Amino acid sequence: MFIKGIRLPGMSSLIIWGLLWELVGQSGLTFFLPPLSEILITLYEIGDSPAFLKALKETAQAFTVGVSAAILIGIPVGILMGKNRLLDELLLPWVNIFLSAPLTALVPVLMVLFGFGMRSIIITTSLFAIWIIILNSRAGVLQINRSLVEMGRCFGATPLAAFVKIYFWAALPEILGGVRIGIIRAVKGVIIGQLLISLVGFGALFELYSANFLMSHFWAVLIVLFALAFTISELLATLERKFSYYAANR
Amino acid sequence: MEIAVSTRNISKTYPGNVEALRDLSLEFPRGQLTSLLGPSGCGKTTLLKIISGLLEPTSGEVEVNGKPVTGPGPDRAFVFQDFALLPWADVLRNVAFGLELRGVPVSEREDIAQQHIKNVGLDGFEKSFPHELSGGMRQRVGLARALAVESEVLLMDEPFSAVDEQTRRKFQEDLLGLVERENKTFIFVTHSIEEAVYVSDQIAILLPRPSRVHEILRPENLRTKGVSDIRRDPEYLDTVDRIWASLRSYVE
Amino acid sequence: MHAKIMSRSLNLKLLSAIVVFGIWEIAGRIPISYGFPTFFESMVALFSMLIDGTLLQAYMDTLRPLVVGILISAFLGIALGLWIGLSNWFDWLVSPIFIIMQAAPLAALIPLLVMVYGIGLTSKVFVVCIMAMPVIVLNTAGAVRNTPINLKEMAASFLGTDKDIILRVIIPSASPIIFSGLRLGTSAGFIGAILAELKITPTGVGDIITFSRSIADYPSMYAAIFSIILLAVCFLNLLEIIERTLFRGNVRGYVSD
């Protein structure tokens, strides 16, 4: 978008939306939408309240553990599927099913099997993230240039060396893409998990706020969550671009 | 004339009964450059990959220095048509990569690589990445990598087909110098008749479906000519013509 | 030879299904948890619910917000996407909202939606819409924006009007990506529909899941979950097959979530 030849930065229109929000809020049109300024003040106030910090800590914990598990399991499984045809044919249908399946439906099962606490939330988070990581790692390995593989063999690479020094790096751009999408899904997963198992983290906080009709508290938390999610996704996109310089000529 | 590499009665049948090579025997003299020349689909790359140990022949055997080949080995190094460089590694690491896979310590392998980078004329590009180099420079990296492992036999799979014509001519001249300087056995796959006649001590003409050796030519006096005189030499022109005469009926 | 490959892949799919369901059966028989019924118990429950009509009734309830929500998202989403793709200022104004929606955990809005719209159909349709819309809008906008410029120039050089260019060049060339946006949106819509039933009020399949859990009738609970996942996967695969036949040889990359 250009105005008089000056390029407006990409996200600058959010200022207009913010102003609009403030106006609607000030007009008192609806109780459910307090003015943005009021929300920001509340945000400042609850920023160091124990309940908020506890929710943030619990969520971060579940998120980190869940995502790490998904990455640590997903990447090797995906690479193995790319390298082994039998394994690929056995696992691929399931990966595709779980990639598109409404995983929310599985949360009640997790609640029965693993209780109403952190464990179920961590597993939900992993389940949301892992399938796309597997699928992308597999795709990354499948597109590895044949002559790179032959080069490794010609110069006497052991299977382990070929794996660590060639396959992993050659598949890295796709793997990172998968990890980025997986992490965005995990953010959604950890919140869905907490909403359904509403005893910990932000799930509990939302219950508290909505039971007491604390609208600006509610919006404050939402803004924090959305901003965090957006920041994570942008950071990962930047990281991905750093490695994409060789994606085109492998 | 001492024989460095010999292939005996090689046949290769791909799954689905596609016969690529039938009963092919060839000998490659030590210290000389032998070209495998033929139209596309004549199995020349298949033969090269069998010699390298990347492919297994359906029957027959390959011997390098009298020892049968069972797989890739340190006595042979490969130069790839599409360079096969690691795009995430700089020139220095790419050239040293063969040594890295053999477990040579960092400082030692970097010294050796440095030397070969200089030999192929890439001084000053040690820290560059493949995507920053031109096609010709990338193939110099591929060549330096193959030279760095000090193999006796150099296998080159259409190494100059992905570089532009001027660079290609320079490469061909440099290759002649390399054959003269290094006491290595070169096996060179190409589909260019002029290139084969220009660089070879011995040319094996392969004909397709199934591939067999049609003829072996040994240009006699071209080696004694200067690099810029070869292309005007009557023997060069005659050989090129003769090869074209025997290949033309196989070109669609 | 082709038929042989086909049957190999089919056999392996069968084998893999047998292995997974076999593990489920064995794990249920040990049992690894009091809340883990065997595969056969679950299938028996599934068939009994199918025969007495409970499941059919439940799906009528579940699919209503889903269908309404997807339809609204599709029409509104494609319209918005076209507008964003065609107009620079609208792109600048509206895109950021959808980019943030795409990255954000929108499920967190549910408690708020319930406060505003109550626990009825409206809230559930809303949940489906907010889940499904971003990917539809962004895919459509991206596809329209990236219409090959030489096609547009070709149409203009043959004296096509703006309307011609939009209707005959831009939309046909964008349609494969718009369609895959719809498919991804539907996939997200399923997540939203079930989330709505589990979180807002138990109706339909969500009711079967919640109720059978509360009375510890685990086979029925697993059967209901199994059936909804099966339904979603079959439907999405169907969409993918339609997509592949409609736009054969026309597949380009698309914005994924």
Side-chain angles (χ1 to χ4, degrees):
Chain A
M1 179 69 177
F2 290 87
I3 284 184
K4 289 180 187 159
I6 299 166
R7 191 163 189 281
L8 295 173
M11 286 280 162
S12 53
S13 64
L14 287 179
I15 297 169
I16 294 185
W17 290 104
L19 287 174
L20 194 68
W21 184 343
E22 179 68 24
L23 282 178
V24 174
Q26 292 289 358
S27 73
L29 202 63
T30 159
F31 161 74
F32 298 104
L33 197 71
L36 189 58
S37 52
E38 191 187 317
I39 294 168
L40 292 179
I41 293 167
T42 317
L43 178 62
Y44 184 73
E45 283 165 3
I46 61 169
D48 51 359
S49 73
F52 177 77
L53 289 178
K54 182 165 165 282
L56 198 61
K57 198 182 124 223
E58 281 171 345
T59 308
Q61 233 171 5
F63 178 75
T64 319
V65 178
V67 166
S68 314
I71 291 176
L72 290 180
I73 300 170
I75 295 178
V77 169
I79 293 182
L80 284 177
M81 280 172 70
K83 287 267 101 187
N84 183 317
R85 182 161 165 216
L86 182 68
L87 194 68
D88 188 38
E89 279 173 304
L90 286 176
L91 291 184
L92 189 61
W94 294 101
V95 175
N96 275 327
I97 285 176
F98 283 107
L99 185 72
S100 54
L103 294 169
T104 8
L106 282 178
V107 178
V109 173
L110 299 177
M111 282 152 79
V112 169
L113 292 181
F114 302 103
F116 290 75
M118 286 290 268
R119 259 206 298 175
S120 296
I121 295 176
I122 291 173
I123 295 172
T124 311
T125 314
S126 289
L127 277 181
F128 268 76
I130 196 166
W131 312 106
I132 190 72
I133 297 180
I134 293 181
L135 211 61
N136 265 38
S137 308
R138 169 185 177 273
V141 171
L142 286 180
Q143 61 73 47
I144 294 178
N145 193 339
R146 254 187 73 108
S147 64
L148 269 191
V149 177
E150 291 182 340
M151 188 275 289
R153 286 186 57 205
C154 269
F155 289 102
T158 59
L160 182 68
F163 202 85
V164 177
K165 289 176 196 270
I166 303 177
Y167 303 153
F168 175 76
W169 291 95
L172 192 62
E174 278 82 6
I175 293 179
L176 280 178
V179 168
R180 182 177 61 84
I181 301 174
I183 285 180
I184 293 174
R185 288 185 168 212
V187 173
K188 299 175 180 182
V190 77
I191 296 299
I192 288 177
Q194 291 186 356
L195 279 175
L196 293 178
I197 310 168
S198 47
L199 297 174
V200 277
F202 286 112
L205 209 57
F206 284 141
E207 291 291 310
L208 181 74
Y209 291 160
S210 55
N212 297 308
F213 292 97
L214 295 167
M215 293 320 297
S216 55
H217 284 69
F218 201 101
W219 280 109
V221 172
L222 277 182
I223 287 181
V224 171
L225 272 183
F226 284 18
L228 274 180
F230 183 69
T231 316
I232 291 175
S233 126
E234 286 302 297
L235 280 179
L236 289 166
T238 317
L239 182 72
E240 202 184 333
R241 276 194 292 274
K242 276 202 157 171
F243 282 91
S244 67
Y245 68 90
Y246 68 76
N249 49 29
R250 273 169 291 176
Chain B
M1 196 164 53
E2 200 188 343
I3 300 303
V5 179
S6 65
T7 64
R8 272 199 291 277
N9 310 103
I10 300 277
S11 295
K12 175 73 186 174
T13 311
Y14 285 109
N17 246 349
V18 181
E19 201 175 23
L21 298 172
R22 183 192 288 169
D23 203 23
L24 191 147
S25 300
L26 257 179
E27 294 190 322
F28 301 89
R30 186 181 307 282
Q32 297 197 356
L33 191 150
T34 304
S35 290
L36 303 173
L37 175 67
S40 48
C42 75
K44 49 195 193 293
T45 296
T46 304
L47 180 61
L48 195 72
K49 287 192 173 166
I50 288 174
I51 297 173
S52 76
L54 285 171
L55 283 178
E56 241 177 81
T58 314
S59 65
E61 56 186 33
V62 178
E63 280 185 1
V64 175
N65 292 329
K67 277 176 287 185
V69 163
T70 52
D75 46 4
R76 284 148 291 148
F78 207 105
V79 179
F80 292 85
Q81 181 177 4
D82 59 356
F83 324 135
L85 302 182
L86 307 176
W88 53 87
D90 59 14
V91 167
L92 186 61
R93 182 161 178 229
N94 262 304
V95 173
F97 192 68
L99 298 167
E100 181 180 339
L101 290 175
R102 288 181 192 178
V104 178
V106 185
S107 58
E108 193 185 333
R109 69 177 186 241
E110 288 191 344
D111 284 347
I112 298 173
Q114 192 69 57
Q115 192 55 43
H116 287 280
I117 290 172
K118 205 173 152 205
N119 286 348
V120 298
L122 282 178
D123 248 353
F125 288 98
E126 291 82 357
K127 294 284 160 228
S128 303
F129 284 83
H131 69 276
E132 299 163 336
L133 304 177
S134 69
M137 290 159 92
R138 286 184 214 180
Q139 193 54 296
R140 288 180 188 277
V141 178
L143 189 62
R145 178 178 60 195
L147 292 172
V149 292
E150 301 287 348
S151 303
E152 277 168 63
V153 180
L154 221 56
L155 308 169
M156 309 177 92
D157 183 13
E158 303 194 19
F160 310 147
S161 67
V163 300
D164 65 74
E165 184 56 31
Q166 285 89 324
T167 314
R168 190 173 178 148
R169 284 205 174 202
K170 183 77 178 68
F171 263 119
Q172 291 165 356
E173 291 181 5
D174 291 354
L175 184 60
L176 286 182
L178 205 64
V179 175
E180 201 173 285
R181 228 177 24 250
E182 312 255 345
N183 186 29
K184 288 186 193 298
T185 308
F186 292 78
I187 304 179
F188 186 92
V189 166
T190 181
H191 56 244
S192 159
I193 301 172
E194 283 83 0
E195 180 168 275
V197 180
Y198 186 81
V199 300
S200 308
D201 295 290
Q202 167 178 294
I203 305 163
I205 300 171
L206 305 187
L207 288 182
R209 280 180 293 275
S211 168
R212 63 219 181 256
V213 183
H214 169 74
E215 198 178 3
I216 295 176
L217 298 172
R218 299 189 59 87
E220 293 299 329
N221 299 312
L222 294 181
R223 275 284 183 267
T224 55
K225 305 278 179 336
V227 285
S228 43
D229 295 330
I230 297 180
R231 285 198 178 82
R232 315 189 272 234
D233 193 274
E235 188 186 358
Y236 169 85
L237 296 168
D238 288 348
T239 316
V240 169
D241 263 2
R242 197 170 134 207
I243 296 175
W244 173 235
S246 55
L247 285 182
R248 68 184 307 161
S249 60
Y250 290 90
V251 179
E252 292 86 12
Chain C
M1 199 168 111
H2 196 65
K4 227 165 95 187
I5 293 171
M6 286 291 285
S7 79
R8 174 189 151 96
S9 116
L10 194 68
N11 285 339
L12 278 168
K13 269 186 192 155
L14 271 176
L15 175 69
S16 133
I18 291 170
V19 168
V20 170
F21 293 141
I23 292 174
W24 178 353
E25 179 70 25
I26 294 166
R29 274 172 196 265
I30 296 176
I32 53 165
S33 156
Y34 71 95
F36 197 83
T38 66
F39 176 66
F40 280 107
E41 283 169 0
S42 307
M43 288 305 109
V44 169
L46 180 63
F47 278 106
S48 76
M49 283 194 293
L50 259 180
I51 290 162
D52 69 12
T54 343
L55 211 54
L56 193 70
Q57 187 57 48
Y59 273 109
M60 301 284 271
D61 288 342
T62 301
L63 293 182
R64 197 183 306 134
L66 182 65
V67 171
V68 176
I70 295 285
L71 285 178
I72 294 175
S73 313
F75 281 108
L76 211 59
I78 292 178
L80 277 171
L82 285 176
W83 194 358
I84 291 176
L86 292 171
S87 149
N88 275 332
W89 72 267
F90 197 69
D91 180 20
W92 172 80
L93 188 66
V94 178
S95 281
I97 306 270
F98 286 100
I99 293 172
I100 290 178
M101 278 174 84
Q102 178 79 338
L106 289 176
L109 281 171
I110 293 179
L112 194 77
L113 287 174
V114 175
M115 280 192 276
V116 182
Y117 297 104
I119 54 170
L121 186 65
T122 326
S123 286
K124 290 179 183 169
V125 171
F126 238 106
V127 174
V128 174
C129 284
I130 56 172
M131 301 292 252
M133 199 123 85
V135 69
I136 298 178
V137 173
L138 292 180
N139 260 35
T140 308
V144 170
R145 211 179 292 131
N146 296 329
T147 309
I149 190 114
N150 54 0
L151 284 185
K152 285 190 274 187
E153 284 174 350
M154 181 275 293
S157 73
F158 284 108
L159 305 179
T161 60
D162 281 355
K163 195 180 127 210
D164 286 333
I165 294 178
I166 292 174
L167 287 181
R168 288 163 207 261
V169 174
I170 292 179
I171 290 179
S173 112
S175 48
I177 300 175
I178 296 179
F179 195 94
S180 60
L182 284 178
R183 181 168 53 80
L184 293 171
T186 310
S187 171
F190 263 103
I191 292 183
I194 295 163
L195 186 60
E197 286 195 331
L198 291 174
K199 180 70 193 172
I200 301 177
T201 39
T203 49
V205 185
D207 184 34
I208 300 182
I209 297 173
T210 317
F211 178 71
S212 47
R213 196 185 76 203
S214 68
I215 60 165
D217 176 7
Y218 295 119
S220 298
M221 175 180 146
Y222 278 66
I225 293 171
F226 183 84
S227 72
I228 185 77
I229 289 183
L230 191 70
L231 180 83
V233 169
C234 287
F235 185 66
L236 292 168
N237 273 344
L238 183 73
L239 285 183
E240 207 176 327
I241 290 169
I242 295 175
E243 190 179 324
R244 267 201 303 244
T245 32
L246 272 183
F247 308 112
R248 215 173 310 132
N250 204 359
V251 187
R252 286 190 280 162
Y254 47 76
V255 195
S256 185
D257 52 342

